[in-house]
Amino acid sequence: MNTSEAQPVTSTAVVETPKSVTTPAQIKTPINYGAQGVKLASLEDAFRFANAIVASGFAPRGMEKAEAVLVAIQLGAELGLTPMAALQNTAVINGRPAIYGDAALALVRASGLLESFNEEEVGEAGKDSFGIKVTATRRDGSKGSETFTIGDAKAAKLWGKAGPWTDYPRRMLKFRARGFVLRDVFGDVLKGLRTAEEVRDYPEERNITPLSEKVSGGLTMSLTQGGAA
């Protein structure tokens, strides 16, 4: 009887290598969302949100870049504003950040430090003496009062200026007086920020530094003076 020895059976497994592998570092963690909207927990979250704002077309004028939106969000966070409130209530004017007058008052009210606040008309309507007087008192008893009149606006070459000073003169008088007193009495709340209504009346700053001083090390000065020290 013939017997044959069983031959071993071999098989080859074919393993396909995936074309791309997503590593944990490439997976974006979700941004928490609650009753008041997004909750930004990191700088990356804020930058992703800033990019979304720019892509949506909701970025205010002067904040067309994600980096600018990110800075506005950071500024708002320091003041206690939510991300969207920061975008709507801050402005970049001539490279200077500012906050709108209504938002400034809202922040002061929300701080819990305001005891009383009053705005009233003073002087005779239509005359240089007419203006708005704003008085604010803190809970610790400190108090401030500012009045801005038509005469003040004329002295600052603002009265009759094209734009809000022509369209809403009374409101502009109020915003100017309000900005002064809130900044004086509640500088800790506003972090020294001026109101947008005030900042946009400033002339645009120009760099008048001589070229020789702009060049590092005064190289230009040395060349124009024949290398003399």
Side-chain angles (χ1 to χ4, degrees):
M1 178 175 179
N2 297 328
T3 59
S4 59
E5 185 177 352
Q7 298 296 322
V9 178
T10 60
S11 62
T12 302
V14 178
V15 179
E16 295 184 359
T17 303
K19 295 181 179 179
S20 62
V21 177
T22 301
T23 64
Q26 295 173 316
I27 301 176
K28 291 185 177 180
T29 57
I31 298 176
N32 293 328
Y33 194 91
Q36 294 185 336
V38 295
K39 297 180 179 179
L40 307 178
S42 68
L43 182 61
E44 182 185 14
D45 286 355
F47 193 64
R48 286 168 59 191
F49 183 69
N51 275 285
I53 292 296
V54 172
S56 71
F58 268 72
R61 183 178 180 182
M63 301 183 191
E64 291 83 2
K65 294 183 178 180
E67 291 80 1
V69 173
L70 177 63
V71 171
I73 292 175
Q74 171 61 32
L75 180 63
E78 294 178 13
L79 292 171
L81 294 171
T82 60
M84 289 305 296
L87 292 178
Q88 296 302 315
N89 291 292
T90 58
V92 179
I93 304 172
N94 295 332
R96 183 194 298 265
I99 187 170
Y100 287 103
D102 287 334
L105 179 57
L107 285 171
V108 168
R109 291 188 187 280
S111 71
L113 300 174
L114 181 65
E115 177 67 29
S116 64
F117 183 81
N118 183 61
E119 296 177 337
E120 60 180 319
E121 294 182 357
V122 297
E124 183 179 352
K127 302 295 184 179
D128 284 1
S129 62
F130 178 81
I132 306 296
K133 179 180 179 182
V134 179
T135 304
T137 305
R138 289 179 69 118
R139 292 192 182 278
D140 63 7
S142 56
K143 180 179 180 180
S145 181
E146 286 286 347
T147 301
F148 203 80
T149 66
I150 293 177
D152 293 327
K154 287 182 177 180
K157 297 180 175 58
L158 300 173
W159 197 250
K161 181 180 178 181
W165 278 104
T166 297
D167 301 333
Y168 313 101
R170 183 184 177 283
R171 191 163 181 80
M172 293 304 292
L173 291 172
K174 179 174 69 173
F175 275 135
R176 186 55 63 92
R178 178 190 293 180
F180 287 158
V181 74
L182 291 182
R183 193 163 71 248
D184 288 345
V185 183
F186 296 94
D188 53 335
V189 176
L190 300 180
K191 312 300 182 186
L193 280 180
R194 304 190 180 199
T195 61
E197 293 81 7
E198 177 185 349
V199 175
R200 66 186 171 198
D201 286 328
Y202 293 163
E204 185 174 356
E205 295 181 356
R206 296 182 180 179
N207 189 343
I208 59 174
T209 305
L211 178 61
S212 59
E213 295 181 21
K214 292 180 182 178
V215 179
S216 177
L219 177 60
T220 300
M221 181 179 293
S222 297
L223 291 175
T224 56
Q225 295 179 355

